[in-house]
Amino acid sequence: MSSTPKHKASTTSSNRQDYLKAILSLELKGAKASTSAIASKLNTQPASVTGMFGVLSNLGLINYVPYKGAELTSDGRIQAISLVRKHRLWETFMVEKLGFKWDEVHEVAEQLEHVDSEQLIVRLDDFLGFPRFDPHGDPIPDSSGNISDRRSLVEVSSIKVGESASIRGVLSSSDSFLKHLDDLGIRLGLVFSVIKIYSYDGSIQVECDGVREVWSKKLVEQLLAEVK
Amino acid sequence: MSSTPKHKASTTSSNRQDYLKAILSLELKGAKASTSAIASKLNTQPASVTGMFGVLSNLGLINYVPYKGAELTSDGRIQAISLVRKHRLWETFMVEKLGFKWDEVHEVAEQLEHVDSEQLIVRLDDFLGFPRFDPHGDPIPDSSGNISDRRSLVEVSSIKVGESASIRGVLSSSDSFLKHLDDLGIRLGLVFSVIKIYSYDGSIQVECDGVREVWSKKLVEQLLAEVK
DNA sequence: TTAAAAGATTAGGCATGACTAAATAATTAA
DNA sequence: TTAATTATTTAGTCATGCCTAATCTTTTAA
Ligand SMILES: [Mn+2]
Ligand SMILES: [Mn+2]
Ligand SMILES: [Mn+2]
Ligand SMILES: [Mn+2]
């Protein structure tokens, strides 16, 4: 039992961690981490971001030039990537082990990612079988911070006849879509092979567990898979 | 992604939750929640506790009379018990699913307990099979806040010949003790029956999975079990 | 090339919680 | 019953972060 400031004096508060993560996500998109961009991502005000940029800069986590935005230093990048790793592992845990839907886990992971324990993540990763992608198809950085390329996942609609693949993620999280997946028994990790492609309407015939089914074009355009 | 104050405006900050939990733990021991007692539990100063007592009192979570200490209101009690429930479920998760030792989980649970999601706990409880005791033998409050009596656990040393029981907790968390349990293959949930009690040295012969072993007096005095 | 618009920073505050030192109650011992 | 000791509260600060309004900079458009 201990009050908040004591919970293992982590180097960086959960607040600051979220800023680093927000900066990383912009950098990965090739966008500049301006105060207004970060403010809108974090639901805060540009003036507050300016203040935090000063703090993070003093901590050596970003390079900040007034009016020019922020860039992660290698220290800051390491922390941001570690946060992303935790976030995605927790999302995977919630979906794979606790039975949450793909669209229900983000907010909670946003909290869980800040739990400070190296061992917890090492063991969680192991428990989950070292997953490489989260339930949304986003890559999970490994313990050294390497992020595999999301592009190694493809839309199911682009898989060739005869190829086998496993479902790894989704591009939409609408209720109706997730419900439809449920109805069809399509879940993360499902292995299937493409038997036939119907050019008439873009639907495809697949085989899963020895059973053949047809998936519509609309469906397979929203599904991500890893080809074997 | 969102900055701390946004993480789902929980009614009570994690800080305040820890205060409520500290007060509960004193009340359960029949002790008074004085500012100095709470301060020492939370590693803070009595003056800080006085301040927080004012806040919690205004929120209707405690009754506070200056110089007389604090008492939980029924609202405060509900919140404190809910926190204890989360804490113990997370400890159980870490030990049973992630393979942590019994003495390694408290600090991390101290953080995890503050993750704010009703569903997360409902599903975690289910995933764990609705455990009634945590790895330390402490009862896990159910979702209505009922706490079963810890006294329904007994020291293994007090079990009669012919009775069956399952290991539910420990009274010590010393490294050497936990290591010894490991060596003997004694783990949470292990089912055994008492075959013989040796009055000479207080050791007992037990049968687990059809195999007979002898456990020393020192060992069985530190082990808690639930008799069938 | 300059004026308006958009973007960013500073200034001045506020809320939460913590800390130290000083003042005040409540206990305990004489 | 009084004096000393111990416990608690108050007063005055500090650090984090957030907010609004005002004041720059930088861009964009005339
Ligand atoms: Mn997410
Ligand atoms: Mn977060
Ligand atoms: Mn806690
Ligand atoms: Mn415990």
Side-chain angles (χ1 to χ4, degrees), chain A:
Chain A
M1 201 164 301
S2 64
S3 66
T4 291
K6 285 216 38 272
H7 278 154
K8 193 68 136 330
S10 79
T11 324
T12 307
S13 74
S14 85
N15 232 318
R16 293 167 186 180
Q17 289 178 347
D18 279 335
Y19 272 89
L20 294 177
K21 199 169 55 138
I23 296 168
L24 176 65
S25 98
L26 286 177
E27 288 187 355
L28 291 178
K29 278 198 299 199
K32 196 186 70 167
S34 64
T35 52
S36 55
I38 298 296
S40 103
K41 239 187 188 333
L42 297 181
N43 281 295
T44 184
Q45 300 308 122
S48 308
V49 177
T50 300
M52 185 59 87
F53 276 5
V55 170
L56 296 175
S57 181
N58 285 338
L59 290 171
L61 298 169
I62 62 173
N63 289 127
Y64 167 53
V65 181
Y67 295 101
K68 295 294 178 185
E71 274 177 23
L72 292 171
T73 62
S74 72
D75 255 34
R77 196 180 186 82
I78 286 168
Q79 293 201 23
I81 289 176
S82 157
L83 203 64
V84 169
R85 170 170 160 79
K86 292 176 197 168
H87 182 104
R88 293 182 180 164
L89 283 172
W90 281 117
E91 285 190 341
T92 304
F93 168 69
M94 285 188 273
V95 169
E96 301 250 305
K97 301 293 184 181
L98 299 189
F100 278 96
K101 300 279 179 55
W102 295 337
D103 60 333
E104 299 172 325
V105 296
H106 182 80
E107 282 302 310
V108 180
E110 201 57 48
Q111 297 178 62
L112 284 163
E113 68 190 0
H114 301 292
V115 172
D116 182 27
S117 165
E118 186 60 38
Q119 266 307 297
L120 181 64
I121 291 305
V122 167
R123 288 176 184 263
L124 183 64
D125 193 21
D126 182 20
F127 182 58
L128 297 174
F130 307 101
R132 296 175 41 242
F133 297 94
D134 83 1
H136 308 99
D138 295 314
I140 299 173
D142 69 20
S143 54
S144 316
N146 302 311
I147 309 181
S148 59
D149 197 339
R150 186 189 167 129
R151 280 165 295 183
S152 68
L153 296 191
V154 299
E155 286 174 24
V156 170
S157 56
S158 72
I159 298 176
K160 305 276 182 302
V161 167
E163 290 185 320
S164 268
S166 326
I167 299 295
R168 286 282 180 262
V170 287
L171 289 175
S172 150
S173 282
S174 74
D175 275 358
S176 54
F177 178 57
L178 296 176
K179 172 84 171 52
H180 188 56
L181 295 179
D182 239 32
D183 289 346
L184 299 189
I186 299 174
R187 59 190 186 286
L188 230 52
L190 179 74
V191 175
F192 64 95
S193 42
V194 175
I195 306 299
K196 218 179 271 180
I197 297 176
Y198 300 107
S199 58
Y200 171 66
D201 61 0
S203 62
I204 68 176
Q205 187 187 46
V206 300
E207 183 174 310
C208 327
D209 301 324
V211 178
R212 292 187 178 199
E213 290 163 28
V214 173
W215 290 348
S216 75
K217 179 180 188 202
K218 185 169 174 188
L219 171 63
V220 298
E221 283 176 347
Q222 301 292 114
L223 268 181
L224 294 174
E226 189 176 3
V227 176
K228 299 277 167 66

Side-chain angles (χ1 to χ4, degrees), chain B:
Chain B
M1 201 167 301
S2 64
S3 66
T4 291
K6 284 217 35 274
H7 277 155
K8 194 71 134 328
S10 79
T11 323
T12 307
S13 75
S14 86
N15 233 317
R16 294 168 185 178
Q17 289 178 348
D18 279 335
Y19 272 89
L20 294 177
K21 198 168 58 137
I23 297 168
L24 177 66
S25 100
L26 286 177
E27 288 187 355
L28 291 177
K29 276 199 302 200
K32 196 186 72 167
S34 64
T35 53
S36 55
I38 297 297
S40 105
K41 238 186 185 341
L42 298 182
N43 282 296
T44 184
Q45 300 309 121
S48 309
V49 177
T50 301
M52 186 57 88
F53 276 5
V55 170
L56 296 175
S57 180
N58 285 338
L59 291 171
L61 297 169
I62 62 172
N63 289 127
Y64 167 54
V65 181
Y67 295 102
K68 294 294 177 184
E71 275 177 22
L72 293 170
T73 61
S74 72
D75 254 34
R77 197 180 185 81
I78 287 168
Q79 293 201 22
I81 289 177
S82 155
L83 203 64
V84 169
R85 170 171 161 76
K86 291 177 198 169
H87 184 103
R88 293 182 180 165
L89 283 172
W90 281 117
E91 284 190 341
T92 304
F93 167 69
M94 283 188 275
V95 169
E96 301 250 304
K97 301 294 185 180
L98 300 189
F100 278 97
K101 299 279 177 54
W102 295 335
D103 60 332
E104 298 172 327
V105 296
H106 182 82
E107 282 303 310
V108 181
E110 201 56 48
Q111 297 177 61
L112 284 163
E113 68 189 359
H114 301 291
V115 172
D116 181 27
S117 164
E118 186 61 37
Q119 265 307 297
L120 181 64
I121 291 305
V122 167
R123 289 176 185 262
L124 183 63
D125 193 23
D126 182 23
F127 181 58
L128 296 174
F130 307 101
R132 295 174 43 239
F133 297 94
D134 82 0
H136 308 100
D138 295 314
I140 299 174
D142 69 19
S143 54
S144 318
N146 303 310
I147 309 180
S148 59
D149 197 340
R150 185 188 170 130
R151 282 165 294 183
S152 68
L153 296 190
V154 299
E155 286 174 24
V156 170
S157 56
S158 71
I159 298 176
K160 306 274 182 301
V161 168
E163 288 185 323
S164 268
S166 327
I167 298 296
R168 287 282 180 262
V170 287
L171 289 175
S172 151
S173 283
S174 74
D175 275 358
S176 53
F177 177 57
L178 297 177
K179 171 84 169 53
H180 188 55
L181 295 179
D182 239 31
D183 290 345
L184 299 189
I186 299 175
R187 60 191 185 286
L188 229 52
L190 180 73
V191 175
F192 64 96
S193 42
V194 175
I195 305 298
K196 218 178 272 179
I197 297 176
Y198 300 107
S199 56
Y200 171 67
D201 62 1
S203 62
I204 69 176
Q205 187 188 47
V206 299
E207 183 175 310
C208 325
D209 300 324
V211 179
R212 290 184 180 202
E213 292 164 25
V214 174
W215 290 348
S216 75
K217 180 182 187 202
K218 186 170 175 188
L219 171 63
V220 297
E221 283 177 348
Q222 301 291 114
L223 267 182
L224 293 174
E226 189 177 4
V227 175
K228 299 276 166 68

